[in-house]
Amino acid sequence: MAQPTDNVVDQVAQLNAARSLVLGDAAFYPQIVNGILPIVGASTRLELRRWGANFLAETFASPMLAVAQKEQLAPNVLQTIREILELPETDTAVLQSLVQTSASLYPLVFRHVVNHPQDSKSWETMSAIKQDILRRMDSFPCPVKLCCAKFIQRVVQVQTPGLISDPRRPEQNETSLAVVPRNHAVLSIPNLEAESSGLLDRLLGVFQEDISDALLVNATLNCLAPLIRTRQSIANKIINAVLEFYPAKHVRPPFTPTVRVSVKSMERTARALLINVLKKNPNHPLAGRMQMYIERLMQSRLEATDDASRKRGLPNEPTDGLDNAKRVRLNALSPPMLKIPPMAPGPASFDRLFTLTEDTGLSSFDVKQLPIDLVLKIVVPLLSQVHDSTLSQAVDAVRARYQTITKDQNLQWQQQQRAAAQDEDDDYEPEYQPMDVASVVSEEASAVAAEVADLQPELVSLGPFVLPQPPPLTEEEAGEIGRSAVARVFGMLNAAETSPAPAKSQSQQKLGFARLAGSTFDRDAWSVLLARLATRAPAGLENDQQTKGDALRKQTTISDSIRETLYRFILEDFRGRLNIAIIWLNEEWYNDRIQMKSAANHRDDTEEDSEPTVPLNYDTWATRLLDGFLAYLDSRDIKVLVRFLSEVPEITIPITQRVASLAKDPERVNLCVQSLMYLIMFRPPAREMCLNTVEDVYQTYEESRHAAGKVLAKWRPQSKALEPADAPESSEAKPITSEP
């Protein structure tokens, strides 16, 4: 017997070498498969059959081997598988591998028979294998049943009509009942379709059993995903069967931890299946039911499992010596009941209140005789040994005694009040008693002391407390405080720039010189506030009080610093902060006009020869702003310049001269001329001034004559600047017209 065993070991070693060869190069698969079939057949030993079944399962499931080669090898393997299945085989590994191989072979054999109707023997062998597996499925061990579920899924998938992706290339289409011709000699479409329907019902029957096997249910759920995805004709039937399956209803007591884990695994697999279906097709007709089913599985609690895991309830009757409001252990020993004697008769005292023993020796013992450290050494261990129930009983007894004493005292006090009320007599007149001399002397002394006290000053009633006036600020301190306040306002302006501004309706926007500067706390509001601090505050427009010269100089200094800071702030981003510049210049212009009006009224009232001087800031800062950002404008900034010129309150000659300086750059000639043309068209008060500027630009810069000439020809055709340009043209035209 030793020799055959050695031969089997050698054969297995050779077979393993062959497996390593095909794993390295898939081209050897046909040669190796055809060579090992006689070695691993039904007449060989169990070890060889086990190896052969495992190798065949790996071969037809390997992605390295082409489908065409698998289809060629499939008819050669069928007979070997059938012979092994016909044996009274009980080895789980062999049966498991054979069923897996059959699941891989079924679509290959089906397509082979479709393409080769004359090969009816292969289909008969495959049908015999299928019937044998389906007949013995219920008697197979659990691992083999899982493989049988996969086999049934393959049979149903093949024998159900699928989609035809390209009728012109049938080899690219999926293997299904749709590729079978209706007049096929071997395959009958109605019979195959009926068989697949019955097998699908058998596969879904696992969801309707009273007691479900978690492994088989999970395997079935995993096999249903390809059917739902590729076979739309049976997808709704499968989903409805899954939706009717609730794992919690398919378990029976006792609810062991294994059962609970099994139920959770089935719930998780079912939930994963439906979530995958919803991801593939969010608009599925059953999407609502699937979502409700998923939520129910996620939120459900097994009632049966909860009953098993719940804690034991309280007993119906309280246990002696135990608090019936708490959960206790039933095997716990009940603490002894403390015997509380009644309170000793006599007046109430703390000694009698806290005495809970009838022992006379303990009651009469004076604890004060013991040193405090000795008392602590005795009391602390005793308290640690006292039972909680005993301590609670003692505290309750003392509390009851105290409440009884309190009630008795209140009752006695009420009785005394009633007795005193009855004894009072309104007509009672006391008898005359001679005055005591000592009492008279004491009363006189108290009266004299009261008079002396009245003459002394009252130390408590001091009256209202007034803080002393702070010392006056120097000019440097006032300037520093003003600059710090301005810096804080600029900080708010920067913060308002970064925060998004809410949209305003037309009714909420109150623009103009009379609007409130701090009504909205946005960037425009802070800009108006800064501009008015620089313009109106030093001018004395908010109040008509006469200010002193020093104070005026201080305010002017602060206002100049605000103007300088505003100027630098705008130039840092003049395109984005152009609106702030326009607000500032409008306030400056308005302030200049109000100051001139106030100065004129003051001159009329005083009727003096001296004329008050008014500092005008609009022209100065408007030209400074233009000088600051004109150097950074290019030919594409026409909107920026036009907006600035159109929204400033007044166009002056210095402003037009700054705009005319743009013509020095040939690339910005159009920017200069178009800006001036906009002012000519839409600002009539400045039209003549701008036309003069255009004429000057026309005469000064050669590159601007084409654009400026068009403007002058339209708005000032009688301009003398156009005559020198027209004269050469007329002189050159004469020879042209005189030619024959």
Side-chain angles (χ1 to χ4, degrees):
M1 295 297 293
Q3 185 66 27
T5 304
D6 295 338
N7 292 335
V8 171
V9 173
D10 295 339
Q11 288 179 348
V12 171
Q14 294 176 4
L15 292 174
N16 288 331
R19 173 184 288 175
S20 302
L21 180 62
V22 295
L23 291 177
D25 189 358
F28 293 102
Y29 264 115
Q31 181 180 355
I32 298 299
V33 170
N34 293 325
I36 67 168
L37 288 178
I39 302 175
V40 298
S43 60
T44 58
R45 294 177 62 90
L46 176 61
E47 292 82 357
L48 298 178
R49 292 201 306 272
R50 186 180 299 168
W51 189 95
N54 189 15
F55 179 76
L56 292 177
E58 289 181 358
T59 300
F60 289 97
S62 174
M64 303 300 296
L65 185 60
V67 178
Q69 293 180 348
K70 291 180 182 179
E71 187 175 337
Q72 293 177 0
L73 293 174
N76 302 332
V77 180
L78 290 177
Q79 188 61 34
T80 303
I81 296 176
R82 181 179 180 181
E83 292 175 356
I84 297 176
L85 285 176
E86 289 177 351
L87 295 175
E89 187 67 66
T90 58
D91 186 70
T92 303
V94 175
L95 294 175
Q96 189 174 359
S97 299
L98 290 178
V99 176
Q100 290 179 358
T101 307
S102 302
S104 301
L105 286 175
Y106 194 83
L108 301 174
V109 175
F110 190 86
R111 179 175 285 275
H112 174 76
V113 174
V114 170
N115 297 330
H116 303 85
Q118 67 278 4
D119 191 5
S120 60
K121 183 179 179 181
S122 298
W123 180 246
E124 292 176 358
T125 307
M126 188 72 247
S127 299
I129 294 173
K130 177 174 63 175
Q131 297 301 328
D132 187 69
I133 293 174
L134 296 177
R135 184 178 65 255
R136 300 169 57 187
M137 175 179 174
D138 295 334
S139 61
F140 280 151
C142 182
V144 185
K145 284 184 179 180
L146 304 183
C147 299
C148 291
K150 181 63 178 177
F151 177 75
I152 294 176
Q153 179 257 324
R154 282 296 182 90
V155 174
V156 173
Q157 186 175 4
V158 170
Q159 296 182 187
T160 305
L163 296 177
I164 301 298
S165 58
D166 190 356
R168 298 169 297 178
R169 302 185 63 183
E171 70 279 359
Q172 299 293 332
N173 295 328
E174 185 183 4
T175 303
S176 67
L177 201 61
V179 300
V180 180
R182 294 192 175 275
N183 55 353
H184 198 276
V186 178
L187 302 177
S188 176
I189 295 179
N191 295 338
L192 294 176
E193 195 168 6
E195 184 184 16
S196 67
S197 179
L199 291 177
L200 179 61
D201 294 338
R202 183 175 180 179
L203 186 64
L204 299 178
V206 70
F207 300 135
Q208 300 174 0
E209 296 179 357
D210 294 336
I211 301 177
S212 299
D213 186 359
L215 294 177
L216 186 58
V217 170
N218 291 334
T220 304
L221 289 172
N222 291 328
C223 292
L224 294 178
L227 294 178
I228 296 174
R229 185 178 65 254
T230 59
R231 299 295 181 263
Q232 299 298 327
S233 59
I234 59 175
N236 290 340
K237 179 180 180 180
I238 297 173
I239 294 175
N240 286 324
V242 175
L243 293 178
E244 296 296 332
F245 173 68
Y246 288 98
K249 298 180 181 179
H250 295 264
V251 292
R252 294 292 182 270
F255 301 106
T256 61
T258 304
V259 174
R260 297 174 191 169
V261 172
S262 301
V263 172
K264 289 183 180 179
S265 67
M266 290 188 288
E267 290 180 349
R268 186 175 301 173
T269 308
R271 187 168 63 247
L273 172 65
L274 296 181
I275 290 175
N276 189 22
V277 173
L278 288 176
K279 285 183 179 179
K280 297 292 184 181
N281 186 10
N283 299 323
H284 197 279
L286 300 176
R289 291 186 59 192
M290 286 189 284
Q291 189 64 36
M292 293 174 60
Y293 181 84
I294 293 171
E295 293 177 357
R296 178 174 177 180
L297 289 182
M298 294 177 65
Q299 300 175 0
S300 65
R301 293 291 184 268
L302 300 180
E303 296 180 359
T305 307
D306 284 346
D307 291 339
S309 62
R310 285 173 186 163
K311 294 183 178 180
R312 172 181 45 80
L314 289 172
N316 295 330
E317 297 180 358
T319 308
D320 294 339
L322 300 178
D323 188 0
N324 59 357
K326 297 181 180 179
R327 292 183 49 82
V328 294
R329 294 170 56 187
L330 293 181
N331 56 355
L333 296 176
S334 59
M337 295 296 294
L338 184 63
K339 184 178 180 181
I340 307 297
M343 188 173 177
S349 63
F350 287 103
D351 182 14
R352 297 177 182 275
L353 178 64
F354 286 94
T355 299
L356 301 178
T357 179
E358 296 179 347
D359 191 348
T360 308
L362 290 177
S363 302
S364 60
F365 180 74
D366 188 5
V367 186
K368 296 180 181 179
Q369 298 177 2
L370 299 177
I372 187 64
D373 54 349
L374 181 60
V375 173
L376 292 177
K377 291 180 180 180
I378 296 174
V379 171
V380 173
L382 287 177
L383 288 177
S384 63
Q385 298 296 328
V386 175
H387 197 277
D388 294 341
S389 178
T390 305
L391 182 61
S392 300
Q393 294 178 36
V395 172
D396 293 340
V398 174
R399 184 184 296 112
R401 287 182 177 182
Y402 179 76
Q403 292 175 355
T404 303
I405 294 173
T406 305
K407 290 180 181 179
D408 293 342
Q409 290 179 353
N410 292 335
L411 183 60
Q412 292 177 4
W413 182 79
Q414 292 176 2
Q415 292 177 356
Q416 292 176 1
Q417 291 292 331
R418 294 193 193 98
Q422 292 177 0
D423 293 341
E424 288 182 354
D425 189 1
D426 296 336
D427 297 333
Y428 173 76
E429 293 182 0
E431 296 180 357
Y432 173 77
Q433 294 180 357
M435 183 180 297
D436 192 4
V437 178
S439 63
V440 173
V441 174
S442 62
E443 290 178 1
E444 291 179 355
S446 62
V448 172
E451 291 178 358
V452 173
D454 293 336
L455 296 176
Q456 293 179 356
E458 296 182 359
L459 299 178
V460 178
S461 58
L462 298 178
F465 179 73
V466 180
L467 289 173
Q469 293 293 332
L473 296 176
T474 62
E475 185 175 355
E476 292 78 7
E477 292 175 348
E480 185 65 27
I481 293 173
R483 284 189 290 272
S484 64
V486 171
R488 287 194 296 271
V489 176
F490 270 100
M492 297 301 298
L493 186 61
N494 289 325
E497 275 192 337
T498 57
S499 60
K504 300 178 184 177
S505 60
Q506 294 293 333
S507 60
Q508 292 177 341
Q509 294 179 353
K510 296 181 180 180
L511 305 180
F513 294 110
R515 65 176 172 178
L516 296 176
S519 58
T520 57
F521 300 103
D522 56 357
R523 191 185 72 164
D524 293 343
W526 290 111
S527 304
V528 173
L529 179 61
L530 282 170
R532 291 181 181 178
L533 284 175
T535 57
R536 299 190 187 186
L541 297 180
E542 305 300 335
N543 50 11
D544 297 334
Q545 297 179 359
Q546 185 70 23
T547 58
K548 296 182 180 180
D550 294 340
L552 183 60
R553 283 196 298 273
K554 293 176 188 177
Q555 292 176 349
T556 304
T557 304
I558 295 174
S559 63
D560 289 341
S561 65
I562 295 175
R563 289 187 175 98
E564 189 67 30
T565 310
L566 264 176
Y567 170 74
R568 292 196 300 268
F569 179 76
I570 293 169
L571 289 186
E572 288 177 358
D573 183 14
F574 67 91
R575 292 182 178 87
R577 298 169 181 172
L578 190 65
N579 189 34
I580 300 176
I582 294 170
I583 292 174
W584 174 31
L585 293 179
N586 277 277
E587 292 290 339
E588 291 285 4
W589 179 86
Y590 178 73
N591 179 57
D592 291 346
R593 295 300 176 273
I594 296 299
Q595 284 197 41
M596 288 190 293
K597 182 178 179 181
S598 177
N601 294 335
H602 179 68
R603 182 182 58 188
D604 295 340
D605 294 339
T606 56
E607 296 181 358
E608 296 179 357
D609 296 337
S610 61
E611 295 183 358
T613 59
V614 177
L616 301 179
N617 296 298
Y618 171 75
D619 294 339
T620 303
W621 291 102
T623 53
R624 279 197 65 182
L625 275 176
L626 274 174
D627 293 337
F629 68 79
L630 280 181
Y632 301 100
L633 293 179
D634 55 17
S635 58
R636 296 171 297 179
D637 291 327
I638 180 64
K639 293 183 179 180
V640 177
L641 183 58
V642 166
R643 184 190 174 193
F644 179 82
L645 296 175
S646 63
E647 295 193 20
V648 292
E650 184 180 3
I651 300 297
T652 60
I653 294 177
I655 292 177
T656 58
Q657 290 176 353
R658 264 64 174 185
V659 176
S661 65
L662 292 173
K664 296 178 182 179
D665 187 359
E667 295 182 356
R668 299 193 293 178
V669 169
N670 290 332
L671 178 64
C672 170
V673 176
Q674 289 177 7
S675 303
L676 293 173
M677 185 176 66
Y678 179 87
L679 296 177
I680 293 170
M681 294 173 62
F682 297 104
R683 299 199 70 160
R687 180 173 297 168
E688 293 299 325
M689 186 190 312
C690 294
L691 285 173
N692 294 335
T693 305
V694 173
E695 189 173 349
D696 187 22
V697 169
Y698 179 85
Q699 294 176 352
T700 305
Y701 305 105
E702 186 72 23
E703 294 83 358
S704 65
R705 291 189 175 182
H706 177 71
K710 292 182 179 180
V711 177
L712 292 176
K714 180 177 180 181
W715 295 95
R716 188 178 282 181
Q718 71 279 6
S719 175
K720 296 181 180 180
L722 298 176
E723 294 178 358
D726 295 335
E729 294 179 1
S730 61
S731 62
E732 292 176 0
K734 291 180 181 179
I736 296 174
T737 54
S738 62
E739 290 181 359

